[in-house]
Each structure stands twice: as C-alpha cells, then as structure tokens.
Amino acid sequence: MPITASKSYWTDGLVLNYFLKIHGNRSGTAEKMEITNVMEYEEIAKKKLPKMVYDYYASGAEDQWTLKENRNAFSRILFRPRILVDVSHIDMTTTVFGFKVSMPIMIAPTAMQKMAHPDGEYATARAASAAGTIMTLSSWATSSVEEVASTGPGIRFFQFYVLKDRNVVAQLVRKAERAGFKAIVLTVDTPRLGRREADIKNGFALPPNLTLKNFEGLDIGKMDRTNDSGLTTYAAEQVDRSLSWKDVKWLQTITTLPILVKGVLTAEDTRVAVQAGAAGIIVSNHGARQLDYVPATIMALEEVVKAAQGKLPVFLDGGVRRGTDVFKALALGASGVFIGRPVLFSLAAEGEAGVKKVLQMLRDEFELTMALSGCRSLKEITRDHIMTEHDRPRVAPRL
C-alpha cells in the first residue's frame, strides 16, 4: 500500500496553492539576487515554500537550543594559519570506502525532497554526480532507489531506519544493492521521533500526490493527518524501538555493503560501534531534531575521533554552512562532512542548479580556507591549525 497523505487535509484547493507556490514563477527572487553564500538560500526557500513544508525542513526539537548550537559552536573554533606555504596547487580529493570523491563534502539523507521541488531527489542525485561527490538517499524519499539510479552514474549511499518488520528491512537493503548503492547508513538515534513542535502545530502530513517511493508495494501503513504530527504517528507505528547493537550484527548477515552508524555522539558508543563491526560513524544529532540539549556535533566530534583510534572513518553532519566549517571538522579528525538543509533550501530555490551551486560554493570556500591556512592537501590539515575554547591559551603568561 503506497504511503500517502490524508485528503481530508490536503484539499484540492490547498494542493493547487501548494504547487503554484513552489512550482510557479521560479524565476523571481533567486535570479534577481546574487547568492554569495549557502545560508542565503534559506530565506528564499522560506518565501517559496508553504509554511508547513518550510517548518518541517527547518525546525528542530523542543526549545531548538541544539539547532542553534549546531551553528554557534563552529564560531567558537578559531584558526591558527601557517604562512609562506606554496599553495599554488591544492588537492581536495579523498576516498570514502575506496571510492574517489572530489572533496570531503557529501550530501546527507533528507526526506521527502519533492515537497521542495518537483525533481526532488532526481535533482540532488544529478547535482552530486556532477560535483563528483556522494549522495545519501533517505529511505523516506519521494523517489525510489531505482529512480535515483536511473539518473545516471554516481556514488550513492542508502539510509534507513530499522523497522519492526525485519523482512521489509531486508527487502529495502536488497533493493539498494540491486540499484548499485555503495553503502548503508543506519540511523540509530530515532527509537522514537523527537518532539518537533512546529510539525505538531502544523499537523504535518505528506501531500497526496507524493508517496514514500521506497515503500511502494510494501504493506506498512500510510502517513495521515492526525491531531499530532502525522510523521510522528507513522514513525511510532513503523520504527522498531527495540533496535540494539545486535541488529548491526544482523545487518552484516544480510549485506556485504559497508554499514555506517549515524547518530553517535559519545566515546562509549564509538567503542561499541567498533566492536560491532561498523564500517564508519557519522557524528550526528539528527539535525537537532531528536533530543534537544545534546552537544553540537562539532563539539562531540573530537571525543568520537579519539575513541575510534583510527579503526574506522568518522564523519560529521549538522550545522555545516561554510567551507571554514568543513576545515574545522577535518582538523578535529573527521574524514568528511555531510550537508542536509542547504541542499533542501537550494533545491526549493533553484532546483538542480541550486544544489550544484551550494556544492560549488562550499568547495570554493573550503579550498580558500585551505590556501589561507597553508594546507595543500587534506592530510596537511591538522589539529594544530585550529584552537577550540577548551585549548589552553597559546600565549605566554605575564610575569
């Protein structure tokens, strides 16, 4: 049974207004205004999208303290640049599970992208491929793994939650394998959905013309409007709250793809992930949409990296909006970063061209940061190139 929204909410008139709003005159704001940084896309998206959709993409859990902290924490990390280094050639390429990518900036899984633009995940996949980087497709996408694969070549990961029906999970994994996806991203911080008050107020539900395409043909219910958030109700019905580390072991018995554990914030869980045979870790607080008042991911990163002891790669998502953020994450030991909301907002504003521009702007800013810090390759980015608020002052005390 396909997963659709309740038509009692999305009346014909509302649907028409919705599509006129997001698919109507797309030549206005974005073309009249010169976009100079990733963050400017959010304001454009806010004007273009229906409030319910923008709020779903933009909001965090409860007081949204962690949502703000994901950004603010980057500002408390300062640079210690090296000078008089020949930076006439800078190499930003890296490898992820043996696959060469053009830069350590990749696309995180974000659900229901066709609410932002009619091309949705198709556009994101093409933009990622053109940039020579990795796209992670959400299992709650409005395009299937087969449809994304049909857009052409590219390195793609598939993200999912462990559902109560393990047979469905196995089917999803096999679908991703057949479609040529290269890794599995297991989200582990969502035994229950966080309290997202904007979704509750808006009664969030998926437009009736859209479905969660990866679940078509699987009888796992539908997302209807409720007195709460339709997404919260749906997740409560489908996501398995009993998920534990033994399920990571189980996944290894049904796939040979590398499994990244997404949602780790502590050294303790890092050590368990290593023991469980995870291929990689993504330090993530789910875009600040789960438990409020957890640390910003950039603040949790170094603890996780140290606990991993180089036994597996550690990546980061959450709050990355500048090339300087990418540099800071790599200086603290990350192997790369994933971006989420910038993709959604640029997709809403300019479709595929917007996503391409976001990736290019972050690439250009990161390259500039490397040059001004005296780093010619990723391996030259070290902990000594930054100073956090926890570091001892590097100046001599007064006598």
PDB file of all heavy atoms in Angstrom, residues 109 136-140 157-163 166 168-170 172-174 176 183-188 215 243 247 250-251 254-255 259-260 262:
ATOM      1  N   PRO A 109      21.275  12.310   4.097  1.00  0.00           N
ATOM      2  CA  PRO A 109      19.904  11.911   3.767  1.00  0.00           C
ATOM      3  C   PRO A 109      18.892  12.910   4.312  1.00  0.00           C
ATOM      4  O   PRO A 109      18.926  13.259   5.487  1.00  0.00           O
ATOM      5  CB  PRO A 109      19.759  10.552   4.460  1.00  0.00           C
ATOM      6  CG  PRO A 109      20.730  10.606   5.604  1.00  0.00           C
ATOM      7  CD  PRO A 109      21.883  11.428   5.113  1.00  0.00           C
ATOM      8  N   THR A 136      23.491  10.637  -0.281  1.00  0.00           N
ATOM      9  CA  THR A 136      22.840   9.634   0.559  1.00  0.00           C
ATOM     10  C   THR A 136      21.336   9.797   0.398  1.00  0.00           C
ATOM     11  O   THR A 136      20.788  10.870   0.642  1.00  0.00           O
ATOM     12  CB  THR A 136      23.220   9.806   2.039  1.00  0.00           C
ATOM     13  OG1 THR A 136      24.633   9.930   2.150  1.00  0.00           O
ATOM     14  CG2 THR A 136      22.760   8.603   2.842  1.00  0.00           C
ATOM     15  N   LEU A 137      20.682   8.739  -0.031  1.00  0.00           N
ATOM     16  CA  LEU A 137      19.236   8.764  -0.242  1.00  0.00           C
ATOM     17  C   LEU A 137      18.517   8.297   1.017  1.00  0.00           C
ATOM     18  O   LEU A 137      18.836   7.244   1.573  1.00  0.00           O
ATOM     19  CB  LEU A 137      18.858   7.857  -1.411  1.00  0.00           C
ATOM     20  CG  LEU A 137      17.370   7.804  -1.755  1.00  0.00           C
ATOM     21  CD1 LEU A 137      16.908   9.124  -2.372  1.00  0.00           C
ATOM     22  CD2 LEU A 137      17.065   6.629  -2.684  1.00  0.00           C
ATOM     23  N   SER A 138      17.549   9.081   1.446  1.00  0.00           N
ATOM     24  CA  SER A 138      16.729   8.695   2.596  1.00  0.00           C
ATOM     25  C   SER A 138      15.764   7.597   2.208  1.00  0.00           C
ATOM     26  O   SER A 138      15.204   7.588   1.104  1.00  0.00           O
ATOM     27  CB  SER A 138      15.946   9.909   3.097  1.00  0.00           C
ATOM     28  OG  SER A 138      14.960   9.529   4.031  1.00  0.00           O
ATOM     29  N   SER A 139      15.521   6.649   3.127  1.00  0.00           N
ATOM     30  CA  SER A 139      14.500   5.639   2.866  1.00  0.00           C
ATOM     31  C   SER A 139      13.120   6.284   2.808  1.00  0.00           C
ATOM     32  O   SER A 139      12.202   5.744   2.183  1.00  0.00           O
ATOM     33  CB  SER A 139      14.530   4.546   3.940  1.00  0.00           C
ATOM     34  OG  SER A 139      14.346   5.093   5.232  1.00  0.00           O
ATOM     35  N   TRP A 140      12.966   7.448   3.429  1.00  0.00           N
ATOM     36  CA  TRP A 140      11.707   8.189   3.384  1.00  0.00           C
ATOM     37  C   TRP A 140      11.730   9.213   2.244  1.00  0.00           C
ATOM     38  O   TRP A 140      11.190  10.302   2.346  1.00  0.00           O
ATOM     39  CB  TRP A 140      11.429   8.883   4.724  1.00  0.00           C
ATOM     40  CG  TRP A 140      11.097   7.919   5.828  1.00  0.00           C
ATOM     41  CD1 TRP A 140      11.052   6.561   5.754  1.00  0.00           C
ATOM     42  CD2 TRP A 140      10.744   8.248   7.173  1.00  0.00           C
ATOM     43  NE1 TRP A 140      10.709   6.015   6.963  1.00  0.00           N
ATOM     44  CE2 TRP A 140      10.514   7.028   7.858  1.00  0.00           C
ATOM     45  CE3 TRP A 140      10.624   9.435   7.874  1.00  0.00           C
ATOM     46  CZ2 TRP A 140      10.158   6.978   9.209  1.00  0.00           C
ATOM     47  CZ3 TRP A 140      10.269   9.385   9.216  1.00  0.00           C
ATOM     48  CH2 TRP A 140      10.028   8.173   9.874  1.00  0.00           C
ATOM     49  N   PHE A 157      24.810   6.334  -1.290  1.00  0.00           N
ATOM     50  CA  PHE A 157      24.563   5.552  -0.089  1.00  0.00           C
ATOM     51  C   PHE A 157      23.059   5.528   0.155  1.00  0.00           C
ATOM     52  O   PHE A 157      22.331   6.412  -0.305  1.00  0.00           O
ATOM     53  CB  PHE A 157      25.272   6.157   1.121  1.00  0.00           C
ATOM     54  CG  PHE A 157      26.779   6.145   1.049  1.00  0.00           C
ATOM     55  CD1 PHE A 157      27.532   6.826   2.015  1.00  0.00           C
ATOM     56  CD2 PHE A 157      27.466   5.476   0.051  1.00  0.00           C
ATOM     57  CE1 PHE A 157      28.913   6.826   1.975  1.00  0.00           C
ATOM     58  CE2 PHE A 157      28.848   5.467   0.000  1.00  0.00           C
ATOM     59  CZ  PHE A 157      29.573   6.141   0.963  1.00  0.00           C
ATOM     60  N   PHE A 158      22.603   4.519   0.900  1.00  0.00           N
ATOM     61  CA  PHE A 158      21.179   4.417   1.220  1.00  0.00           C
ATOM     62  C   PHE A 158      20.994   4.408   2.726  1.00  0.00           C
ATOM     63  O   PHE A 158      21.591   3.601   3.435  1.00  0.00           O
ATOM     64  CB  PHE A 158      20.591   3.138   0.628  1.00  0.00           C
ATOM     65  CG  PHE A 158      19.119   2.969   0.885  1.00  0.00           C
ATOM     66  CD1 PHE A 158      18.203   3.896   0.428  1.00  0.00           C
ATOM     67  CD2 PHE A 158      18.640   1.851   1.574  1.00  0.00           C
ATOM     68  CE1 PHE A 158      16.841   3.745   0.660  1.00  0.00           C
ATOM     69  CE2 PHE A 158      17.285   1.684   1.814  1.00  0.00           C
ATOM     70  CZ  PHE A 158      16.383   2.637   1.353  1.00  0.00           C
ATOM     71  N   GLN A 159      20.161   5.332   3.215  1.00  0.00           N
ATOM     72  CA  GLN A 159      19.895   5.459   4.654  1.00  0.00           C
ATOM     73  C   GLN A 159      18.562   4.827   4.987  1.00  0.00           C
ATOM     74  O   GLN A 159      17.587   4.969   4.240  1.00  0.00           O
ATOM     75  CB  GLN A 159      19.872   6.939   5.060  1.00  0.00           C
ATOM     76  CG  GLN A 159      19.459   7.202   6.499  1.00  0.00           C
ATOM     77  CD  GLN A 159      17.935   7.286   6.691  1.00  0.00           C
ATOM     78  OE1 GLN A 159      17.199   7.556   5.748  1.00  0.00           O
ATOM     79  NE2 GLN A 159      17.480   7.040   7.907  1.00  0.00           N
ATOM     80  N   PHE A 160      18.504   4.149   6.131  1.00  0.00           N
ATOM     81  CA  PHE A 160      17.211   3.659   6.583  1.00  0.00           C
ATOM     82  C   PHE A 160      17.169   3.526   8.096  1.00  0.00           C
ATOM     83  O   PHE A 160      18.187   3.580   8.781  1.00  0.00           O
ATOM     84  CB  PHE A 160      16.832   2.331   5.905  1.00  0.00           C
ATOM     85  CG  PHE A 160      17.682   1.162   6.288  1.00  0.00           C
ATOM     86  CD1 PHE A 160      17.362   0.377   7.378  1.00  0.00           C
ATOM     87  CD2 PHE A 160      18.796   0.835   5.541  1.00  0.00           C
ATOM     88  CE1 PHE A 160      18.137  -0.712   7.733  1.00  0.00           C
ATOM     89  CE2 PHE A 160      19.580  -0.256   5.882  1.00  0.00           C
ATOM     90  CZ  PHE A 160      19.252  -1.028   6.981  1.00  0.00           C
ATOM     91  N   TYR A 161      15.950   3.375   8.586  1.00  0.00           N
ATOM     92  CA  TYR A 161      15.670   3.054   9.983  1.00  0.00           C
ATOM     93  C   TYR A 161      15.329   1.573  10.047  1.00  0.00           C
ATOM     94  O   TYR A 161      14.775   1.016   9.097  1.00  0.00           O
ATOM     95  CB  TYR A 161      14.488   3.866  10.506  1.00  0.00           C
ATOM     96  CG  TYR A 161      14.626   5.354  10.331  1.00  0.00           C
ATOM     97  CD1 TYR A 161      14.188   5.971   9.158  1.00  0.00           C
ATOM     98  CD2 TYR A 161      15.186   6.145  11.326  1.00  0.00           C
ATOM     99  CE1 TYR A 161      14.318   7.345   8.985  1.00  0.00           C
ATOM    100  CE2 TYR A 161      15.309   7.519  11.164  1.00  0.00           C
ATOM    101  CZ  TYR A 161      14.873   8.104   9.988  1.00  0.00           C
ATOM    102  OH  TYR A 161      15.003   9.455   9.820  1.00  0.00           O
ATOM    103  N   VAL A 162      15.635   0.928  11.143  1.00  0.00           N
ATOM    104  CA  VAL A 162      15.225  -0.468  11.298  1.00  0.00           C
ATOM    105  C   VAL A 162      13.756  -0.482  11.700  1.00  0.00           C
ATOM    106  O   VAL A 162      13.372   0.051  12.742  1.00  0.00           O
ATOM    107  CB  VAL A 162      16.094  -1.211  12.326  1.00  0.00           C
ATOM    108  CG1 VAL A 162      15.513  -2.595  12.605  1.00  0.00           C
ATOM    109  CG2 VAL A 162      17.521  -1.351  11.793  1.00  0.00           C
ATOM    110  N   LEU A 163      12.945  -1.096  10.851  1.00  0.00           N
ATOM    111  CA  LEU A 163      11.511  -1.166  11.079  1.00  0.00           C
ATOM    112  C   LEU A 163      11.165  -2.429  11.866  1.00  0.00           C
ATOM    113  O   LEU A 163      11.971  -3.358  11.988  1.00  0.00           O
ATOM    114  CB  LEU A 163      10.774  -1.149   9.745  1.00  0.00           C
ATOM    115  CG  LEU A 163      11.114   0.019   8.807  1.00  0.00           C
ATOM    116  CD1 LEU A 163      10.341  -0.108   7.506  1.00  0.00           C
ATOM    117  CD2 LEU A 163      10.836   1.352   9.478  1.00  0.00           C
ATOM    118  N   ARG A 166      11.343  -7.000  10.015  1.00  0.00           N
ATOM    119  CA  ARG A 166      12.702  -7.179   9.504  1.00  0.00           C
ATOM    120  C   ARG A 166      12.716  -7.640   8.048  1.00  0.00           C
ATOM    121  O   ARG A 166      13.685  -7.413   7.327  1.00  0.00           O
ATOM    122  CB  ARG A 166      13.473  -8.179  10.373  1.00  0.00           C
ATOM    123  CG  ARG A 166      13.749  -7.707  11.793  1.00  0.00           C
ATOM    124  CD  ARG A 166      14.647  -6.462  11.788  1.00  0.00           C
ATOM    125  NE  ARG A 166      15.190  -6.189  13.102  1.00  0.00           N
ATOM    126  CZ  ARG A 166      14.608  -5.457  14.036  1.00  0.00           C
ATOM    127  NH1 ARG A 166      13.431  -4.918  13.777  1.00  0.00           N
ATOM    128  NH2 ARG A 166      15.182  -5.248  15.197  1.00  0.00           N
ATOM    129  N   VAL A 168      10.844  -6.422   5.743  1.00  0.00           N
ATOM    130  CA  VAL A 168      10.824  -5.174   4.974  1.00  0.00           C
ATOM    131  C   VAL A 168      12.222  -4.574   4.919  1.00  0.00           C
ATOM    132  O   VAL A 168      12.678  -4.096   3.869  1.00  0.00           O
ATOM    133  CB  VAL A 168       9.817  -4.179   5.581  1.00  0.00           C
ATOM    134  CG1 VAL A 168       9.961  -2.803   4.930  1.00  0.00           C
ATOM    135  CG2 VAL A 168       8.394  -4.696   5.422  1.00  0.00           C
ATOM    136  N   VAL A 169      12.925  -4.593   6.037  1.00  0.00           N
ATOM    137  CA  VAL A 169      14.292  -4.075   6.073  1.00  0.00           C
ATOM    138  C   VAL A 169      15.165  -4.831   5.079  1.00  0.00           C
ATOM    139  O   VAL A 169      15.921  -4.225   4.306  1.00  0.00           O
ATOM    140  CB  VAL A 169      14.877  -4.188   7.497  1.00  0.00           C
ATOM    141  CG1 VAL A 169      16.354  -3.787   7.503  1.00  0.00           C
ATOM    142  CG2 VAL A 169      14.092  -3.320   8.467  1.00  0.00           C
ATOM    143  N   ALA A 170      15.075  -6.143   5.087  1.00  0.00           N
ATOM    144  CA  ALA A 170      15.877  -6.948   4.171  1.00  0.00           C
ATOM    145  C   ALA A 170      15.538  -6.627   2.714  1.00  0.00           C
ATOM    146  O   ALA A 170      16.436  -6.551   1.859  1.00  0.00           O
ATOM    147  CB  ALA A 170      15.658  -8.429   4.454  1.00  0.00           C
ATOM    148  N   LEU A 172      14.427  -3.736   1.567  1.00  0.00           N
ATOM    149  CA  LEU A 172      14.987  -2.420   1.268  1.00  0.00           C
ATOM    150  C   LEU A 172      16.483  -2.512   0.988  1.00  0.00           C
ATOM    151  O   LEU A 172      16.993  -1.881   0.051  1.00  0.00           O
ATOM    152  CB  LEU A 172      14.734  -1.459   2.435  1.00  0.00           C
ATOM    153  CG  LEU A 172      13.289  -1.017   2.649  1.00  0.00           C
ATOM    154  CD1 LEU A 172      13.172  -0.217   3.949  1.00  0.00           C
ATOM    155  CD2 LEU A 172      12.800  -0.173   1.471  1.00  0.00           C
ATOM    156  N   VAL A 173      17.191  -3.293   1.784  1.00  0.00           N
ATOM    157  CA  VAL A 173      18.630  -3.454   1.581  1.00  0.00           C
ATOM    158  C   VAL A 173      18.906  -4.089   0.229  1.00  0.00           C
ATOM    159  O   VAL A 173      19.791  -3.643  -0.524  1.00  0.00           O
ATOM    160  CB  VAL A 173      19.247  -4.290   2.717  1.00  0.00           C
ATOM    161  CG1 VAL A 173      20.696  -4.662   2.396  1.00  0.00           C
ATOM    162  CG2 VAL A 173      19.189  -3.513   4.034  1.00  0.00           C
ATOM    163  N   ARG A 174      18.148  -5.123  -0.120  1.00  0.00           N
ATOM    164  CA  ARG A 174      18.351  -5.784  -1.418  1.00  0.00           C
ATOM    165  C   ARG A 174      18.044  -4.844  -2.575  1.00  0.00           C
ATOM    166  O   ARG A 174      18.744  -4.857  -3.600  1.00  0.00           O
ATOM    167  CB  ARG A 174      17.486  -7.046  -1.502  1.00  0.00           C
ATOM    168  CG  ARG A 174      18.020  -8.194  -0.651  1.00  0.00           C
ATOM    169  CD  ARG A 174      17.355  -9.513  -1.031  1.00  0.00           C
ATOM    170  NE  ARG A 174      15.968  -9.551  -0.601  1.00  0.00           N
ATOM    171  CZ  ARG A 174      15.560 -10.010   0.582  1.00  0.00           C
ATOM    172  NH1 ARG A 174      16.449 -10.459   1.456  1.00  0.00           N
ATOM    173  NH2 ARG A 174      14.274 -10.036   0.896  1.00  0.00           N
ATOM    174  N   ALA A 176      18.434  -1.600  -2.588  1.00  0.00           N
ATOM    175  CA  ALA A 176      19.562  -0.668  -2.686  1.00  0.00           C
ATOM    176  C   ALA A 176      20.764  -1.341  -3.340  1.00  0.00           C
ATOM    177  O   ALA A 176      21.451  -0.732  -4.174  1.00  0.00           O
ATOM    178  CB  ALA A 176      19.925  -0.146  -1.298  1.00  0.00           C
ATOM    179  N   ALA A 183      26.830   1.818   0.014  1.00  0.00           N
ATOM    180  CA  ALA A 183      26.932   1.683   1.470  1.00  0.00           C
ATOM    181  C   ALA A 183      25.560   1.863   2.089  1.00  0.00           C
ATOM    182  O   ALA A 183      24.654   2.461   1.479  1.00  0.00           O
ATOM    183  CB  ALA A 183      27.914   2.690   2.057  1.00  0.00           C
ATOM    184  N   ILE A 184      25.401   1.360   3.303  1.00  0.00           N
ATOM    185  CA  ILE A 184      24.181   1.500   4.083  1.00  0.00           C
ATOM    186  C   ILE A 184      24.454   2.464   5.240  1.00  0.00           C
ATOM    187  O   ILE A 184      25.449   2.331   5.954  1.00  0.00           O
ATOM    188  CB  ILE A 184      23.726   0.147   4.650  1.00  0.00           C
ATOM    189  CG1 ILE A 184      23.365  -0.824   3.522  1.00  0.00           C
ATOM    190  CG2 ILE A 184      22.573   0.319   5.627  1.00  0.00           C
ATOM    191  CD1 ILE A 184      22.199  -0.389   2.674  1.00  0.00           C
ATOM    192  N   VAL A 185      23.580   3.431   5.409  1.00  0.00           N
ATOM    193  CA  VAL A 185      23.665   4.360   6.535  1.00  0.00           C
ATOM    194  C   VAL A 185      22.511   4.040   7.473  1.00  0.00           C
ATOM    195  O   VAL A 185      21.338   4.241   7.134  1.00  0.00           O
ATOM    196  CB  VAL A 185      23.596   5.824   6.064  1.00  0.00           C
ATOM    197  CG1 VAL A 185      23.579   6.772   7.256  1.00  0.00           C
ATOM    198  CG2 VAL A 185      24.772   6.151   5.140  1.00  0.00           C
ATOM    199  N   LEU A 186      22.853   3.512   8.630  1.00  0.00           N
ATOM    200  CA  LEU A 186      21.837   3.115   9.610  1.00  0.00           C
ATOM    201  C   LEU A 186      21.663   4.232  10.640  1.00  0.00           C
ATOM    202  O   LEU A 186      22.574   4.527  11.410  1.00  0.00           O
ATOM    203  CB  LEU A 186      22.257   1.823  10.305  1.00  0.00           C
ATOM    204  CG  LEU A 186      21.352   1.340  11.442  1.00  0.00           C
ATOM    205  CD1 LEU A 186      19.960   1.000  10.919  1.00  0.00           C
ATOM    206  CD2 LEU A 186      21.972   0.144  12.157  1.00  0.00           C
ATOM    207  N   THR A 187      20.492   4.857  10.639  1.00  0.00           N
ATOM    208  CA  THR A 187      20.198   5.898  11.618  1.00  0.00           C
ATOM    209  C   THR A 187      19.784   5.242  12.930  1.00  0.00           C
ATOM    210  O   THR A 187      18.839   4.462  12.970  1.00  0.00           O
ATOM    211  CB  THR A 187      19.086   6.830  11.116  1.00  0.00           C
ATOM    212  OG1 THR A 187      19.547   7.499   9.928  1.00  0.00           O
ATOM    213  CG2 THR A 187      18.730   7.871  12.157  1.00  0.00           C
ATOM    214  N   VAL A 188      20.509   5.579  14.009  1.00  0.00           N
ATOM    215  CA  VAL A 188      20.331   4.852  15.274  1.00  0.00           C
ATOM    216  C   VAL A 188      19.835   5.728  16.426  1.00  0.00           C
ATOM    217  O   VAL A 188      19.696   5.246  17.546  1.00  0.00           O
ATOM    218  CB  VAL A 188      21.657   4.169  15.696  1.00  0.00           C
ATOM    219  CG1 VAL A 188      22.065   3.112  14.676  1.00  0.00           C
ATOM    220  CG2 VAL A 188      22.782   5.200  15.882  1.00  0.00           C
ATOM    221  N   PHE A 215       8.787   2.464  -0.247  1.00  0.00           N
ATOM    222  CA  PHE A 215       7.871   1.574   0.457  1.00  0.00           C
ATOM    223  C   PHE A 215       6.685   1.139  -0.404  1.00  0.00           C
ATOM    224  O   PHE A 215       5.805   0.428   0.079  1.00  0.00           O
ATOM    225  CB  PHE A 215       7.354   2.247   1.734  1.00  0.00           C
ATOM    226  CG  PHE A 215       8.429   2.547   2.735  1.00  0.00           C
ATOM    227  CD1 PHE A 215       8.404   3.719   3.474  1.00  0.00           C
ATOM    228  CD2 PHE A 215       9.469   1.666   2.937  1.00  0.00           C
ATOM    229  CE1 PHE A 215       9.399   3.999   4.413  1.00  0.00           C
ATOM    230  CE2 PHE A 215      10.468   1.929   3.865  1.00  0.00           C
ATOM    231  CZ  PHE A 215      10.431   3.098   4.603  1.00  0.00           C
ATOM    232  N   LEU A 243      15.481  -1.644  18.714  1.00  0.00           N
ATOM    233  CA  LEU A 243      16.756  -1.649  17.991  1.00  0.00           C
ATOM    234  C   LEU A 243      17.936  -1.601  18.958  1.00  0.00           C
ATOM    235  O   LEU A 243      17.968  -0.795  19.881  1.00  0.00           O
ATOM    236  CB  LEU A 243      16.822  -0.430  17.058  1.00  0.00           C
ATOM    237  CG  LEU A 243      18.113  -0.238  16.267  1.00  0.00           C
ATOM    238  CD1 LEU A 243      18.275  -1.346  15.228  1.00  0.00           C
ATOM    239  CD2 LEU A 243      18.125   1.134  15.601  1.00  0.00           C
ATOM    240  N   ASP A 247      21.389  -5.707  16.217  1.00  0.00           N
ATOM    241  CA  ASP A 247      20.816  -5.514  14.894  1.00  0.00           C
ATOM    242  C   ASP A 247      21.867  -5.062  13.884  1.00  0.00           C
ATOM    243  O   ASP A 247      21.725  -5.319  12.678  1.00  0.00           O
ATOM    244  CB  ASP A 247      19.669  -4.509  14.964  1.00  0.00           C
ATOM    245  CG  ASP A 247      18.495  -5.041  15.762  1.00  0.00           C
ATOM    246  OD1 ASP A 247      17.896  -6.030  15.312  1.00  0.00           O
ATOM    247  OD2 ASP A 247      18.203  -4.497  16.842  1.00  0.00           O
ATOM    248  N   TRP A 250      23.196  -8.242  12.855  1.00  0.00           N
ATOM    249  CA  TRP A 250      22.244  -8.889  11.956  1.00  0.00           C
ATOM    250  C   TRP A 250      22.326  -8.320  10.540  1.00  0.00           C
ATOM    251  O   TRP A 250      22.318  -9.075   9.549  1.00  0.00           O
ATOM    252  CB  TRP A 250      20.824  -8.740  12.501  1.00  0.00           C
ATOM    253  CG  TRP A 250      19.777  -9.190  11.523  1.00  0.00           C
ATOM    254  CD1 TRP A 250      19.454 -10.474  11.190  1.00  0.00           C
ATOM    255  CD2 TRP A 250      18.927  -8.346  10.727  1.00  0.00           C
ATOM    256  NE1 TRP A 250      18.464 -10.486  10.237  1.00  0.00           N
ATOM    257  CE2 TRP A 250      18.126  -9.196   9.937  1.00  0.00           C
ATOM    258  CE3 TRP A 250      18.768  -6.963  10.613  1.00  0.00           C
ATOM    259  CZ2 TRP A 250      17.173  -8.705   9.049  1.00  0.00           C
ATOM    260  CZ3 TRP A 250      17.827  -6.465   9.725  1.00  0.00           C
ATOM    261  CH2 TRP A 250      17.040  -7.337   8.952  1.00  0.00           C
ATOM    262  N   LEU A 251      22.437  -6.999  10.427  1.00  0.00           N
ATOM    263  CA  LEU A 251      22.537  -6.377   9.104  1.00  0.00           C
ATOM    264  C   LEU A 251      23.750  -6.906   8.339  1.00  0.00           C
ATOM    265  O   LEU A 251      23.707  -7.073   7.111  1.00  0.00           O
ATOM    266  CB  LEU A 251      22.619  -4.858   9.231  1.00  0.00           C
ATOM    267  CG  LEU A 251      21.316  -4.122   9.508  1.00  0.00           C
ATOM    268  CD1 LEU A 251      21.581  -2.657   9.809  1.00  0.00           C
ATOM    269  CD2 LEU A 251      20.381  -4.250   8.304  1.00  0.00           C
ATOM    270  N   ILE A 254      23.043  -9.906   6.209  1.00  0.00           N
ATOM    271  CA  ILE A 254      22.176  -9.825   5.033  1.00  0.00           C
ATOM    272  C   ILE A 254      22.755  -8.938   3.941  1.00  0.00           C
ATOM    273  O   ILE A 254      22.166  -8.819   2.868  1.00  0.00           O
ATOM    274  CB  ILE A 254      20.757  -9.343   5.408  1.00  0.00           C
ATOM    275  CG1 ILE A 254      20.773  -7.889   5.890  1.00  0.00           C
ATOM    276  CG2 ILE A 254      20.109 -10.257   6.425  1.00  0.00           C
ATOM    277  CD1 ILE A 254      19.387  -7.270   6.011  1.00  0.00           C
ATOM    278  N   THR A 255      23.909  -8.291   4.180  1.00  0.00           N
ATOM    279  CA  THR A 255      24.532  -7.454   3.151  1.00  0.00           C
ATOM    280  C   THR A 255      26.037  -7.450   3.318  1.00  0.00           C
ATOM    281  O   THR A 255      26.552  -7.573   4.431  1.00  0.00           O
ATOM    282  CB  THR A 255      23.998  -6.006   3.207  1.00  0.00           C
ATOM    283  OG1 THR A 255      24.575  -5.240   2.130  1.00  0.00           O
ATOM    284  CG2 THR A 255      24.338  -5.325   4.523  1.00  0.00           C
ATOM    285  N   ILE A 259      28.501  -0.658   6.504  1.00  0.00           N
ATOM    286  CA  ILE A 259      27.415  -0.073   7.294  1.00  0.00           C
ATOM    287  C   ILE A 259      27.959   1.066   8.136  1.00  0.00           C
ATOM    288  O   ILE A 259      28.845   0.864   8.977  1.00  0.00           O
ATOM    289  CB  ILE A 259      26.772  -1.134   8.199  1.00  0.00           C
ATOM    290  CG1 ILE A 259      26.154  -2.253   7.347  1.00  0.00           C
ATOM    291  CG2 ILE A 259      25.709  -0.510   9.096  1.00  0.00           C
ATOM    292  CD1 ILE A 259      25.729  -3.465   8.142  1.00  0.00           C
ATOM    293  N   LEU A 260      27.452   2.272   7.892  1.00  0.00           N
ATOM    294  CA  LEU A 260      27.795   3.431   8.714  1.00  0.00           C
ATOM    295  C   LEU A 260      26.720   3.613   9.758  1.00  0.00           C
ATOM    296  O   LEU A 260      25.519   3.547   9.457  1.00  0.00           O
ATOM    297  CB  LEU A 260      27.887   4.707   7.875  1.00  0.00           C
ATOM    298  CG  LEU A 260      29.059   4.842   6.916  1.00  0.00           C
ATOM    299  CD1 LEU A 260      28.685   4.282   5.553  1.00  0.00           C
ATOM    300  CD2 LEU A 260      29.454   6.317   6.778  1.00  0.00           C
ATOM    301  N   LYS A 262      24.873   6.116  12.031  1.00  0.00           N
ATOM    302  CA  LYS A 262      24.615   7.557  12.048  1.00  0.00           C
ATOM    303  C   LYS A 262      23.853   7.937  13.310  1.00  0.00           C
ATOM    304  O   LYS A 262      22.755   7.439  13.551  1.00  0.00           O
ATOM    305  CB  LYS A 262      23.817   7.967  10.819  1.00  0.00           C
ATOM    306  CG  LYS A 262      23.443   9.446  10.738  1.00  0.00           C
ATOM    307  CD  LYS A 262      22.673   9.713   9.449  1.00  0.00           C
ATOM    308  CE  LYS A 262      22.303  11.172   9.295  1.00  0.00           C
ATOM    309  NZ  LYS A 262      21.215  11.564  10.231  1.00  0.00           N
TER     310      LYS A 262
END
